[in-house]
Amino acid sequence: MTRSPRAVARNVRAGGIDPGARGDVAREDQPWAWDESRWRGCVERVRAGRSLKPQAWPGGAEVAVALSFDSDHETIPLRNSETHPGRLSQGEYGARVAVPRILRLLDHHRVPASFFVPAVSALLHPGEIGACVAAGHEIALHGWIHEWNTTLDPDTERDLLMRSIDVIERLSGSRPVGIRTPSWDFSDHTLNLIRELHLTYDSSLIADDEPYELLADGAPTGIVEIPVEWIRDDAPYLTMDRYTGTRPYTPPRELLRIWLDEFEQAHREHGLFQLTLHHHVIGHRSRIIVLEQLLEHISSISGVFFARHDEVAAYLAGLDPGATRRGSDRSGSETAAS
Amino acid sequence: MTRSPRAVARNVRAGGIDPGARGDVAREDQPWAWDESRWRGCVERVRAGRSLKPQAWPGGAEVAVALSFDSDHETIPLRNSETHPGRLSQGEYGARVAVPRILRLLDHHRVPASFFVPAVSALLHPGEIGACVAAGHEIALHGWIHEWNTTLDPDTERDLLMRSIDVIERLSGSRPVGIRTPSWDFSDHTLNLIRELHLTYDSSLIADDEPYELLADGAPTGIVEIPVEWIRDDAPYLTMDRYTGTRPYTPPRELLRIWLDEFEQAHREHGLFQLTLHHHVIGHRSRIIVLEQLLEHISSISGVFFARHDEVAAYLAGLDPGATRRGSDRSGSETAAS
Amino acid sequence: MTRSPRAVARNVRAGGIDPGARGDVAREDQPWAWDESRWRGCVERVRAGRSLKPQAWPGGAEVAVALSFDSDHETIPLRNSETHPGRLSQGEYGARVAVPRILRLLDHHRVPASFFVPAVSALLHPGEIGACVAAGHEIALHGWIHEWNTTLDPDTERDLLMRSIDVIERLSGSRPVGIRTPSWDFSDHTLNLIRELHLTYDSSLIADDEPYELLADGAPTGIVEIPVEWIRDDAPYLTMDRYTGTRPYTPPRELLRIWLDEFEQAHREHGLFQLTLHHHVIGHRSRIIVLEQLLEHISSISGVFFARHDEVAAYLAGLDPGATRRGSDRSGSETAAS
Amino acid sequence: MTRSPRAVARNVRAGGIDPGARGDVAREDQPWAWDESRWRGCVERVRAGRSLKPQAWPGGAEVAVALSFDSDHETIPLRNSETHPGRLSQGEYGARVAVPRILRLLDHHRVPASFFVPAVSALLHPGEIGACVAAGHEIALHGWIHEWNTTLDPDTERDLLMRSIDVIERLSGSRPVGIRTPSWDFSDHTLNLIRELHLTYDSSLIADDEPYELLADGAPTGIVEIPVEWIRDDAPYLTMDRYTGTRPYTPPRELLRIWLDEFEQAHREHGLFQLTLHHHVIGHRSRIIVLEQLLEHISSISGVFFARHDEVAAYLAGLDPGATRRGSDRSGSETAAS
């Protein structure tokens, strides 16, 4: 029912202008020729269910802050078969320089965080896992070698995920309960695997500012989604990749303003502020400043619930449905719409 | 007479450097080999006619403000056959979080707006249409599934447009009178269809700051064009698409300055300030601020005519030609030039 | 000796990483296998000769300011075979709205400028040519339909250039003396054609801040180069092209700072400040501000020589070689280097 | 073991989404199917060893500053077979205008620097080499014609490197001791060649802020790495290439803030601040300002060790291992990890 990711990528690069004109796409495969069951089926396969925004955060906090770091290190160039020393050293910086710098900063503010670690990254840097665990941080899943899930058949996706769970459990000392799909590339099969392998939360989708329960084909799953967003990710603004047009055009200090705006609005709404960072991106001298100043600002405020992603998920999963705010907050058009 | 959009896209990506050198382009098809009737015919097919900038706005207002929202939601990834959950959740945010937030803001300032809604988007979120209508906003056309018109044959374009009119009429309770082509991809056949289906205005072209009458091969059509511009659109600055180089490099607060500059100059010229926004782009916590501050500024000024696009079009279409400013304002080179 | 522009474009898009690996490039065609005569021949074909920076500007002015506008209008989409109404209307804005606005601004400051006009653009907007001439501006060459010279054989390039001279002479009333190659795509044959057709200056190359004499294979040609630069061009910062990654990411008011920095340094050096603008880029409400403020600043300073490009070229061509500054200013490494 | 750079570039442009789906990639060649020895072998081929950050800089300085200029001039377009005059003139600006301007600025502040010069660039501008040497600057290696090392077989890489050493030695009067691979494209063979040709340092990798010793398959080599970073390079922010999406979107004055942040943090850490500049990028009137203001700031501080890269390398190579800071500074996760 779904065209291959390769075809999609080709289309998108072409400005998405191909489908109707391409000889190798059958006429009924053009999205405007799809019948309602097809496009509705795509949309409903995995969708946001009830909001899990709580009436109150633990300790009466007025806002929750969940920081996360994707510890990709060398796995992104490896995943791309870019195995020459030059490209790999960009990831090496993350493990060698940025992780210790970030751990010191988190320790200084006594802030817990979640580290999403590809298994290969963990195997290359086992001491790092130990240091994170010793400091009280969560180690969660982030694929085997930062693979693209949507290019895999379900068996390969399951096999890589199971092996990743084993590696992370062995190195961190506890079984991971949460997953962030590499490149947020959540496939048509990912939700089934999350349920099959008894994980409690995902953090790869972007349908809300606040946590929500995932629906599978319309049915509640009990899985908590802690949503991410490119806006609250350092990579879109600051990544440098010589082979593509990706450049660090946004001045880092502008990010501070964007993230403060996100935080302050979350605070006003008594909601969640979630951030996704990459060691080899944010960990540099001129960029760690952004995280330093953000944490200084947030730490100066009282009533902040700093929490690991697994703690947020466990708190929300344990709440009575009446203790979440769906009724008051989403009473607009969506009640009727879904 | 026109080459396929696919070939165009390929050319453009190649820096436009291909045409003369490509073996598959006949020599007489190189644009520099075209005769005058060919390039002149392309230019005159659809062109800006008399300016519809009025001598005065209703109530003696000194400036008109027409806000619009393209309610694309999941239709852009669907149109691209990007049907995996990760990509679709970006559009889902628009419907689930951004629309209610935007409706509250518009209500707070008592500002009417126009919502251009692809039919599939409306079918996926029927409650949203009801909420918009109840709040006094316009629902207008924006394609079936955000298709590229220039890739379609005229019969398919007509069929999708007619089905879209039916869906929007059924869900909104009234027949739409205006259209914005998806991706502003106004084809060689679009103007004929607009006339055939008795729409009163289009809002997809960018030949002026002020509304104008569309000409078809030099002849007036009576169709009002309410022009858009990428400058007054949130997407070019803030879109994130992992598969291409499109990144949100512009800090949102810089947009406020750009749009205030556009508004203030429109005010000085006693003209129209038109804005095109996308729920999944502007509706985020750190971005809605831009719209909030813009509306606060504009609302603090007296003599502003806030209007839906259909109201602007109806007002201008009903004016006596002498009540528009073409004479005074376009008396420069263009009088002789056209 | 030179590979086709298409192959170059393909290489560059591939990160330039292809040449050695491509099966269709003979081994001796890899640039690192070229012998010295080959790479030296490429470099020396057209090169900067003696500096024409004068000891003094007319009237004892301390800085020269040469503004130029490339009046491309619909020719860029036409050149790319992008003939649908949507894309063409972007160029139409330039002719319809921006040119009158810019002419009013130039008139307000009594500043002369040079308009580089593709012949097809002039034929589509003959009244515009008349208005520019009446206001005292220069009309100069900018190709037939904004073609890529480096894709043409020499006979086609000559033919298009000759026809362009005829059109511009007929519509403007005088024979053009200067040329700016479309897209600054100066081919291996362009300099020969400039000499053959007795033009006096070119404004397409970027080897200096100050005017210089062009050398052909090491020999002086008498042709004046008035250099351009992407830094002093509005298009790189502000162009929007939906089909590529080109976006208006730079806030317009940042350009003011860049151009003021360029001007002020030119002032300190008693040199030339040259600017290349496009009507459909800079002519919008939120962007014309940049030009307004720039002209206000420059106009507030005494000792500025505002001049058309042809006036600059004529002044410099008429100077005695001793009245230029090569001796004092370029006495560094280049004396020995060339 | 490694796929060709061409295939990598194609993958990366496609969003890296190809590997699993491509028919021409054998299943066992998908990175997620690699066994541990394969991905570990890639990572360990060339890796960062002990930190060479010294306990103290010469003269008790609190920070070291190493400026470098890559004197590419015409070699980048030549390397890409872009041999038309327009493109070449962009590099010509570097040699003609920017180098003298930069030499004057360095002289004004009495700051030494390292110039990494492709051999073809040196042969095209021999006087420039002389001027740099006379001013006390280092001339170091930067390839033959800015070739991509990872596209070459080892013999071609060696041959080009040996010829480059000969040219630089002949023109500069002394044998170069350091190398920066063109485009930082450090191949699988580069480290072996560095050792074979008795160079003392490389400056192409980015695994640390501070210098370190290179390991080859886990074994110390004695080669000093003086790391670079795209953050401390002018090209990513300011390059303009018409054929790709590369644009100078970052306002130059924002770079000053980024580089001051990098410097100030280096100062606080008593470490190294290294910068990579390109004449044709930074040497323009509106950009040299950034370097001027940066040098004015740094020069106003006491306790700064300004040094050429060869001087930094010689100082660090001569230190007793106990005089470097690995123990204190890298005692976190990496001790256990590597």
Side-chain angles (χ1 to χ4, degrees):
Chain A
M1 211 163 182
T2 298
R3 298 170 59 203
S4 88
R6 245 186 99 208
V8 171
R10 215 189 297 121
N11 262 356
V12 173
R13 275 174 295 140
I17 220 172
D18 279 21
R22 287 180 52 203
D24 59 343
V25 177
R27 192 162 190 83
E28 64 276 20
D29 258 4
Q30 299 167 359
W32 35 93
W34 293 355
D35 61 23
E36 178 161 354
S37 68
R38 181 160 176 184
W39 46 257
R40 200 175 281 281
C42 295
V43 167
E44 300 209 336
R45 192 177 295 124
V46 176
R47 214 182 190 188
R50 67 184 176 108
S51 175
L52 296 176
K53 182 181 176 184
Q55 292 284 356
W57 292 105
E62 292 186 344
V63 62
V65 173
L67 303 183
S68 64
F69 297 87
D70 292 358
S71 306
D72 302 329
H73 307 330
E74 293 91 346
T75 59
I76 295 181
L78 287 174
R79 182 268 314 269
N80 290 335
S81 299
E82 301 180 89
T83 60
H84 295 296
R87 184 72 179 82
L88 284 165
S89 73
Q90 198 168 21
E92 195 180 357
Y93 182 93
R96 178 178 173 95
V97 178
V99 167
R101 185 175 278 159
I102 285 165
L103 287 176
R104 284 194 298 271
L105 178 60
L106 294 176
D107 182 61
H108 174 73
H109 288 286
R110 300 172 184 249
V111 169
S114 297
F115 289 69
F116 294 88
V117 189
V120 165
S121 182
L123 289 166
L124 284 167
H125 307 281
E128 178 181 313
I129 304 299
C132 290
V133 169
H137 303 299
E138 175 189 10
I139 308 294
L141 297 164
H142 198 46
W144 174 257
I145 196 169
H146 217 277
E147 62 276 9
W148 294 99
N149 282 341
T150 61
T151 67
L152 307 176
D153 60 80
D155 287 345
T156 304
E157 187 176 352
R158 177 187 295 103
D159 174 57
L160 292 172
L161 183 53
M162 290 177 66
R163 288 162 57 197
S164 299
I165 292 173
D166 287 348
V167 166
I168 296 299
E169 178 168 11
R170 179 162 55 84
L171 293 178
S172 74
S174 50
R175 197 176 183 277
V177 300
I179 182 172
R180 174 167 297 154
T181 54
S183 299
W184 305 353
D185 191 42
F186 197 105
S187 84
D188 291 350
H189 313 289
T190 303
L191 182 51
N192 284 344
L193 292 173
I194 287 172
R195 302 173 79 179
E196 179 185 330
L197 296 170
H198 304 294
L199 302 175
T200 62
Y201 77 91
D202 173 73
S203 183
S204 315
L205 300 174
I206 56 183
D208 204 331
D209 299 314
E210 302 295 340
Y212 53 86
E213 181 176 5
L214 288 174
L215 305 180
D217 294 318
T221 62
I223 304 297
V224 176
E225 177 63 36
I226 300 180
V228 290
E229 229 303 320
W230 300 112
I231 295 169
R232 293 176 271 99
D233 183 320
D234 52 1
Y237 310 102
L238 298 177
T239 294
M240 168 69 199
D241 182 340
R242 196 186 51 208
Y243 302 118
T244 66
T246 306
R247 295 286 177 274
Y249 288 129
T250 309
R253 285 167 179 262
E254 298 286 351
L255 293 200
L256 181 62
R257 184 68 261 159
I258 295 172
W259 293 343
L260 283 174
D261 283 342
E262 286 280 320
F263 169 74
E264 285 166 7
Q265 188 62 29
H267 194 188
R268 271 190 291 274
E269 297 178 4
H270 288 206
L272 170 70
F273 171 71
Q274 189 275 349
L275 201 59
T276 300
L277 301 171
H278 298 79
H279 304 289
H280 67 284
V281 178
I282 201 73
H284 286 274
R285 286 169 168 164
S286 53
R287 294 170 173 181
I288 195 74
I289 286 173
V290 175
L291 185 56
E292 284 173 0
Q293 299 195 353
L294 184 70
L295 287 182
E296 259 164 53
H297 176 79
I298 298 179
S299 296
S300 73
I301 291 170
S302 62
V304 176
F305 173 52
F306 280 105
R308 300 162 21 152
H309 285 50
D310 56 349
E311 293 167 343
V312 171
Y315 176 70
L316 299 177
L319 289 179
D320 190 279
T324 60
R325 302 196 178 193
R326 178 167 170 78
S328 61
D329 204 38
R330 298 278 178 265
S331 61
S333 59
E334 281 306 295
T335 305
S338 59
Chain B
M1 212 164 182
T2 298
R3 297 168 61 202
S4 89
R6 244 186 102 209
V8 171
R10 215 189 297 121
N11 262 355
V12 173
R13 274 173 296 140
I17 219 171
D18 279 20
R22 289 181 51 204
D24 59 342
V25 177
R27 192 159 190 84
E28 64 275 19
D29 258 5
Q30 299 167 358
W32 35 91
W34 294 354
D35 61 24
E36 177 162 353
S37 67
R38 182 159 176 185
W39 47 257
R40 200 175 281 282
C42 295
V43 168
E44 299 210 335
R45 192 179 295 121
V46 176
R47 215 183 190 187
R50 67 185 175 106
S51 175
L52 296 176
K53 182 181 176 184
Q55 293 285 355
W57 292 105
E62 292 185 344
V63 61
V65 173
L67 303 183
S68 63
F69 296 87
D70 291 359
S71 305
D72 302 328
H73 306 332
E74 293 91 346
T75 59
I76 295 181
L78 287 174
R79 183 268 313 269
N80 291 335
S81 299
E82 301 180 271
T83 61
H84 295 297
R87 184 71 179 83
L88 283 165
S89 73
Q90 197 168 22
E92 195 180 358
Y93 182 93
R96 179 177 172 94
V97 179
V99 167
R101 186 175 277 157
I102 285 165
L103 287 176
R104 285 194 298 270
L105 178 61
L106 295 176
D107 182 60
H108 175 73
H109 288 285
R110 299 171 184 249
V111 169
S114 297
F115 289 69
F116 293 88
V117 190
V120 166
S121 182
L123 290 165
L124 285 166
H125 307 280
E128 177 180 314
I129 303 299
C132 290
V133 169
H137 303 298
E138 175 189 9
I139 307 294
L141 298 164
H142 198 47
W144 175 256
I145 196 170
H146 216 277
E147 63 276 9
W148 294 100
N149 281 341
T150 61
T151 68
L152 307 176
D153 60 80
D155 285 346
T156 304
E157 186 176 351
R158 177 187 294 103
D159 175 57
L160 292 171
L161 183 54
M162 290 176 66
R163 289 161 57 198
S164 300
I165 291 173
D166 286 349
V167 166
I168 296 299
E169 177 167 13
R170 179 161 56 82
L171 294 177
S172 74
S174 49
R175 196 175 184 278
V177 301
I179 182 172
R180 174 168 298 154
T181 53
S183 301
W184 306 353
D185 191 41
F186 196 104
S187 84
D188 291 349
H189 312 289
T190 303
L191 181 51
N192 283 346
L193 293 173
I194 287 172
R195 302 173 79 177
E196 179 184 329
L197 296 170
H198 304 295
L199 302 175
T200 62
Y201 77 91
D202 173 72
S203 183
S204 315
L205 300 175
I206 56 183
D208 203 331
D209 299 314
E210 302 294 340
Y212 53 86
E213 182 176 5
L214 287 175
L215 305 181
D217 294 318
T221 61
I223 304 296
V224 176
E225 176 64 37
I226 301 180
V228 291
E229 229 302 320
W230 300 112
I231 296 169
R232 293 176 271 99
D233 183 319
D234 52 2
Y237 310 102
L238 298 177
T239 294
M240 169 69 198
D241 182 340
R242 197 186 52 209
Y243 302 118
T244 66
T246 306
R247 296 285 177 275
Y249 288 128
T250 309
R253 285 168 180 261
E254 297 286 351
L255 293 200
L256 181 62
R257 184 67 259 160
I258 295 172
W259 292 343
L260 284 174
D261 283 340
E262 286 279 321
F263 169 74
E264 286 167 6
Q265 188 61 30
H267 194 188
R268 271 192 290 275
E269 296 178 4
H270 289 207
L272 169 70
F273 171 71
Q274 189 275 350
L275 201 60
T276 300
L277 301 170
H278 298 79
H279 304 288
H280 67 283
V281 177
I282 201 74
H284 287 275
R285 286 167 168 166
S286 53
R287 295 170 173 181
I288 195 74
I289 286 173
V290 176
L291 185 57
E292 284 172 2
Q293 298 194 354
L294 184 71
L295 287 182
E296 259 164 53
H297 176 79
I298 298 178
S299 296
S300 73
I301 290 170
S302 63
V304 177
F305 173 53
F306 280 104
R308 300 160 25 152
H309 284 50
D310 57 349
E311 294 167 343
V312 171
Y315 175 69
L316 299 178
L319 288 178
D320 190 278
T324 60
R325 300 197 178 192
R326 177 169 172 77
S328 62
D329 205 37
R330 297 278 178 264
S331 60
S333 59
E334 281 306 294
T335 306
S338 59
Chain C
M1 210 164 182
T2 298
R3 296 170 60 202
S4 88
R6 243 186 105 211
V8 171
R10 215 189 298 121
N11 263 355
V12 172
R13 273 174 296 139
I17 220 172
D18 279 22
R22 289 182 52 204
D24 59 341
V25 177
R27 191 158 191 84
E28 65 275 19
D29 260 4
Q30 299 167 359
W32 36 91
W34 293 354
D35 62 22
E36 178 162 351
S37 67
R38 182 158 175 186
W39 46 258
R40 200 175 281 281
C42 295
V43 168
E44 299 209 336
R45 192 177 295 123
V46 176
R47 215 183 189 187
R50 66 186 176 107
S51 174
L52 296 177
K53 182 180 176 184
Q55 293 284 356
W57 292 104
E62 292 185 344
V63 61
V65 173
L67 303 182
S68 64
F69 297 87
D70 292 358
S71 306
D72 302 329
H73 305 333
E74 292 91 346
T75 58
I76 294 181
L78 287 174
R79 182 268 313 267
N80 291 335
S81 299
E82 300 181 90
T83 60
H84 296 297
R87 184 72 179 84
L88 283 166
S89 73
Q90 197 168 19
E92 195 180 358
Y93 182 93
R96 179 177 172 94
V97 179
V99 167
R101 186 175 277 158
I102 284 165
L103 287 176
R104 285 194 297 271
L105 178 61
L106 295 176
D107 183 60
H108 175 72
H109 287 286
R110 299 170 186 251
V111 169
S114 296
F115 289 69
F116 293 88
V117 189
V120 166
S121 182
L123 289 165
L124 284 166
H125 308 281
E128 178 181 315
I129 304 298
C132 290
V133 169
H137 303 299
E138 175 189 8
I139 308 294
L141 297 165
H142 198 45
W144 175 258
I145 196 171
H146 216 278
E147 62 278 10
W148 294 98
N149 282 342
T150 61
T151 68
L152 307 176
D153 60 79
D155 285 346
T156 305
E157 186 177 350
R158 177 186 294 104
D159 175 56
L160 292 171
L161 183 54
M162 289 177 67
R163 287 161 57 196
S164 299
I165 291 173
D166 287 349
V167 167
I168 296 299
E169 178 167 12
R170 179 162 55 83
L171 293 177
S172 74
S174 48
R175 196 174 183 277
V177 300
I179 182 173
R180 173 168 298 154
T181 53
S183 300
W184 305 353
D185 192 41
F186 196 104
S187 83
D188 291 349
H189 313 290
T190 303
L191 181 51
N192 284 345
L193 292 172
I194 287 173
R195 300 173 80 178
E196 179 185 330
L197 295 170
H198 304 294
L199 302 175
T200 62
Y201 77 91
D202 172 73
S203 183
S204 313
L205 299 174
I206 57 184
D208 203 331
D209 299 314
E210 302 295 340
Y212 53 85
E213 181 176 4
L214 288 174
L215 305 181
D217 294 319
T221 61
I223 304 297
V224 176
E225 177 64 38
I226 300 180
V228 291
E229 229 302 321
W230 300 111
I231 296 170
R232 293 176 270 100
D233 183 320
D234 53 1
Y237 310 102
L238 299 176
T239 294
M240 169 69 197
D241 182 340
R242 197 186 52 210
Y243 302 118
T244 66
T246 305
R247 295 287 177 273
Y249 288 129
T250 308
R253 284 167 179 262
E254 297 286 353
L255 293 199
L256 182 61
R257 185 67 259 159
I258 296 172
W259 292 343
L260 283 174
D261 283 341
E262 287 279 321
F263 168 73
E264 285 167 6
Q265 188 62 30
H267 194 188
R268 270 191 291 275
E269 297 178 3
H270 289 207
L272 169 70
F273 171 70
Q274 188 276 349
L275 202 59
T276 299
L277 301 170
H278 298 78
H279 304 288
H280 67 284
V281 177
I282 201 74
H284 287 274
R285 285 166 169 167
S286 53
R287 294 170 173 181
I288 195 75
I289 286 173
V290 175
L291 186 57
E292 284 172 1
Q293 298 194 355
L294 184 70
L295 287 182
E296 260 165 53
H297 176 79
I298 298 178
S299 296
S300 73
I301 290 171
S302 63
V304 176
F305 173 53
F306 280 105
R308 303 163 17 155
H309 284 51
D310 57 350
E311 293 166 343
V312 171
Y315 175 68
L316 299 178
L319 288 180
D320 190 278
T324 60
R325 300 196 179 194
R326 178 168 171 76
S328 61
D329 205 38
R330 296 280 178 261
S331 59
S333 60
E334 281 306 296
T335 306
S338 58
Chain D
M1 211 164 181
T2 299
R3 295 169 61 202
S4 87
R6 246 186 100 211
V8 171
R10 214 188 299 120
N11 262 356
V12 172
R13 274 174 296 140
I17 220 171
D18 279 21
R22 288 181 51 203
D24 58 343
V25 177
R27 191 159 192 85
E28 64 275 19
D29 259 4
Q30 299 167 1
W32 35 91
W34 294 354
D35 61 23
E36 179 163 351
S37 67
R38 182 159 175 185
W39 47 257
R40 200 175 281 281
C42 294
V43 168
E44 299 209 336
R45 191 177 294 123
V46 176
R47 215 182 188 188
R50 66 185 176 108
S51 174
L52 295 176
K53 182 180 176 186
Q55 293 284 356
W57 291 105
E62 293 185 343
V63 61
V65 173
L67 303 183
S68 63
F69 297 87
D70 292 358
S71 306
D72 303 329
H73 306 331
E74 293 90 346
T75 59
I76 295 181
L78 287 175
R79 183 268 315 270
N80 291 335
S81 299
E82 301 180 89
T83 60
H84 295 297
R87 184 71 178 83
L88 283 165
S89 73
Q90 199 168 19
E92 194 180 357
Y93 182 91
R96 179 179 172 93
V97 179
V99 167
R101 186 175 277 159
I102 285 165
L103 286 177
R104 285 195 297 271
L105 178 61
L106 294 176
D107 182 60
H108 175 72
H109 287 286
R110 300 173 183 248
V111 170
S114 297
F115 289 71
F116 293 88
V117 189
V120 165
S121 183
L123 289 165
L124 284 166
H125 306 282
E128 178 180 315
I129 304 299
C132 290
V133 169
H137 303 299
E138 175 189 8
I139 307 295
L141 297 165
H142 198 45
W144 175 258
I145 197 169
H146 217 277
E147 62 276 9
W148 293 99
N149 281 341
T150 61
T151 67
L152 307 177
D153 61 79
D155 286 345
T156 303
E157 187 176 350
R158 176 185 295 105
D159 175 56
L160 291 172
L161 183 54
M162 290 176 66
R163 288 162 56 197
S164 298
I165 291 174
D166 287 348
V167 166
I168 297 298
E169 178 168 10
R170 179 163 56 82
L171 293 177
S172 74
S174 48
R175 198 176 182 275
V177 300
I179 182 172
R180 173 168 296 153
T181 53
S183 300
W184 306 352
D185 191 41
F186 196 104
S187 84
D188 291 350
H189 312 290
T190 303
L191 181 51
N192 284 345
L193 292 173
I194 287 173
R195 301 173 80 178
E196 179 186 330
L197 295 171
H198 304 295
L199 302 175
T200 62
Y201 78 90
D202 173 72
S203 182
S204 313
L205 300 174
I206 56 184
D208 203 331
D209 299 313
E210 302 295 341
Y212 53 85
E213 181 176 4
L214 288 174
L215 305 180
D217 294 318
T221 62
I223 305 297
V224 176
E225 177 63 38
I226 301 179
V228 291
E229 230 301 321
W230 300 111
I231 296 169
R232 293 177 270 100
D233 183 320
D234 52 2
Y237 310 101
L238 298 177
T239 294
M240 168 70 197
D241 182 341
R242 196 186 53 208
Y243 301 119
T244 66
T246 306
R247 295 286 177 273
Y249 288 129
T250 310
R253 284 166 179 263
E254 297 286 351
L255 293 199
L256 181 61
R257 184 68 260 157
I258 296 172
W259 292 343
L260 284 174
D261 283 342
E262 286 279 320
F263 168 74
E264 286 166 5
Q265 189 61 29
H267 194 188
R268 271 190 290 276
E269 298 178 3
H270 289 208
L272 170 70
F273 172 71
Q274 188 276 348
L275 201 59
T276 300
L277 302 170
H278 298 78
H279 303 287
H280 67 283
V281 177
I282 201 73
H284 287 274
R285 285 168 168 165
S286 54
R287 294 171 173 181
I288 195 74
I289 286 173
V290 175
L291 185 57
E292 283 172 2
Q293 298 194 353
L294 184 69
L295 287 182
E296 259 165 53
H297 175 80
I298 298 179
S299 296
S300 73
I301 291 170
S302 62
V304 177
F305 173 51
F306 280 104
R308 301 161 22 153
H309 285 50
D310 56 350
E311 293 166 342
V312 172
Y315 176 69
L316 299 177
L319 289 179
D320 190 278
T324 60
R325 302 195 179 195
R326 180 167 170 77
S328 61
D329 205 37
R330 296 280 177 263
S331 61
S333 60
E334 282 305 297
T335 305
S338 58

